Amino acid sequence: MESNMTSDILKIQGFDISPKFIYPLFFLLLFVYFTLLCSNIGVLVLIITEKSLHQPMYILFCNLSINDLVGNTVLLPRLMAHIISTERLITYNQCMVQAFHSHTFGSASHMILIIMAIDRYVAICHPLRYSSIMTTKAVFALSATAWAVSLLLVSVLIGLTVRLSRCRSVIQNAYCDNASLFKLSCEDVSINNIYGLFFTVLLFGCSMGGIAVTYFRIAVICWIRKNKELNNRALQTCASHLVLYLIMLWSGFLTIILHRFPNYPDLRKIAYILFHVVPANLNPVIYGMQSRSLRDKIIQILQRKVTPT
């Protein structure tokens, strides 16, 4: 018989890993985490220290890097610890914090990518007005709005779960997220499901709609003008953005859908981890190599490091 529980200690189900794969998986995740730390911190330091990179587009890069660092730092170290540990335990408050940051990571990623799509649209379709439209002030305002909306939506999402009492103590996941947390309760969670659906539809609808509209308008402008240079610039700047968005979108969709299919728990866990680590590792590489100014600065720094004085 299930009853209300007051214990603050929860057990994480985690992955069912063969002993011979425990340490290879641990070191793989450690390498992935170290790589994303170095690449994202490197991009942040470079943009902050180089005055020539104090431009609207690079402010958006900073938003992505900060989001990737926070989102993965909350997830990966504890996940690695649980892989090599025989007892996968976490306090309820720590679990709530992880879930909050995890959902903030996802929603902020969508919001920032919408702003980046708008930035690309203005740069390609209105190049002469770009500097007057996408001012530093405007980008800071858009960035602040993206973070504020994400924090507000996630605060309500987690707040609805905090109010519930618990009758279970096992998180049926490799990490803490909102759905896993409210499944610990034996109370009616209809409100949680309704708001969760509203949250998902609003977030995915806005991001998919915003990306689709901006890309459609870019495609129309390129088709009308039939300018080879414009088409090449549009393909170069939009292709990487679209690839990263689609990776994030489909891994997010898989995570949400697979919560409704408990027979595939490991696939859901893997999808959610990929949702975190793949964009976080690819963002600084693809956007860094895509931007000529950023790429040139990186090459200059590397040349100074390898050239003897």
Side-chain angles (χ1 to χ4, degrees), residues 53-99:
L53 299 178
H54 293 180
Q55 301 174 27
M57 180 173 63
Y58 301 111
I59 297 173
L60 299 177
F61 287 172
C62 288
N63 277 283
L64 273 182
S65 291
I66 292 170
N67 190 43
D68 290 338
L69 286 170
V70 174
N72 284 280
T73 297
V74 170
L75 174 69
L76 289 181
R78 187 171 289 277
L79 179 63
M80 289 186 286
H82 286 165
I83 285 175
I84 60 175
S85 175
T86 54
E87 290 188 347
R88 298 162 179 168
L89 304 177
I90 188 172
T91 68
Y92 180 73
N93 289 337
Q94 289 172 338
C95 198
M96 278 292 179
V97 169
Q98 188 180 64

Side-chain angles (χ1 to χ4, degrees), residues 271-285:
Y272 197 76
I273 292 169
L274 290 177
F275 172 75
H276 274 70
V277 302
V278 172
N281 277 281
L282 292 181
N283 281 338
V285 175

Side-chain angles (χ1 to χ4, degrees), residues 61-307:
F61 287 172
C62 288
N63 277 283
L64 273 182
S65 291
I66 292 170
N67 190 43
D68 290 338
L69 286 170
V70 174
N72 284 280
T73 297
V74 170
L75 174 69
L76 289 181
R78 187 171 289 277
L79 179 63
M80 289 186 286
H82 286 165
I83 285 175
I84 60 175
S85 175
T86 54
E87 290 188 347
R88 298 162 179 168
L89 304 177
I90 188 172
T91 68
Y92 180 73
N93 289 337
Q94 289 172 338
C95 198
M96 278 292 179
V97 169
Q98 188 180 64
F100 179 85
H101 283 91
S102 180
H103 286 285
T104 301
F105 166 82
S107 56
S109 296
H110 281 275
M111 300 300 293
I112 293 166
L113 287 172
I114 293 173
I115 299 173
M116 295 187 79
I118 295 171
D119 175 78
R120 293 299 84 207
Y121 165 73
V122 177
I124 294 170
C125 300
H126 303 284
L128 299 179
R129 298 174 56 200
Y130 178 79
S131 58
S132 61
I133 296 174
M134 298 301 290
T135 63
T136 301
K137 183 178 179 180
V139 173
F140 271 116
L142 287 170
S143 300
T145 301
W147 284 104
V149 170
S150 299
L151 291 171
L152 177 62
L153 289 173
V154 174
S155 294
V156 176
L157 184 75
I158 300 299
L160 289 172
T161 300
V162 171
R163 69 187 175 85
L164 299 172
S165 60
R166 285 168 283 133
C167 62
R168 306 178 184 94
S169 61
V170 178
I171 297 289
Q172 302 292 328
N173 223 329
Y175 47 83
C176 294
D177 65 342
N178 184 62
S180 299
L181 278 166
F182 72 66
K183 287 177 182 178
L184 299 178
S185 177
C186 294
E187 296 182 33
D188 182 10
V189 294
S190 299
I191 295 177
N192 298 72
N193 283 316
I194 292 170
Y195 181 78
L197 180 62
F198 165 78
F199 176 90
T200 304
V201 171
L202 179 66
L203 187 64
F204 279 71
C206 287
S207 69
M208 291 169 63
I211 299 291
V213 169
T214 52
Y215 274 47
F216 175 76
R217 298 194 68 174
I218 289 172
V220 169
I221 291 294
C222 291
W223 183 76
I224 292 174
R225 295 182 182 176
K226 293 181 172 61
N227 185 299
K228 186 176 180 180
E229 182 181 351
L230 177 66
N231 292 345
N232 289 337
R233 184 151 56 93
L235 181 63
Q236 181 185 5
T237 58
C238 295
S240 56
H241 178 271
L242 186 60
V243 168
L244 289 173
Y245 176 74
L246 289 176
I247 291 172
M248 187 188 70
L249 183 69
W250 285 109
S251 57
F253 264 135
L254 275 176
T255 305
I256 294 168
I257 292 170
L258 289 172
H259 257 297
R260 274 67 183 174
F261 296 92
N263 293 330
Y264 304 97
D266 286 339
L267 184 58
R268 182 186 71 244
K269 299 168 192 174
I270 293 170
Y272 197 76
I273 292 169
L274 290 177
F275 172 75
H276 274 70
V277 302
V278 172
N281 277 281
L282 292 181
N283 281 338
V285 175
I286 292 180
Y287 284 115
M289 293 301 100
Q290 178 194 78
S291 168
R292 180 177 298 177
S293 298
L294 193 56
R295 184 174 65 245
D296 291 345
K297 290 295 181 183
I298 294 172
I299 292 173
Q300 288 175 16
I301 291 172
L302 291 175
Q303 288 175 341
R304 288 201 296 265
K305 293 291 185 183
V306 299
T307 303

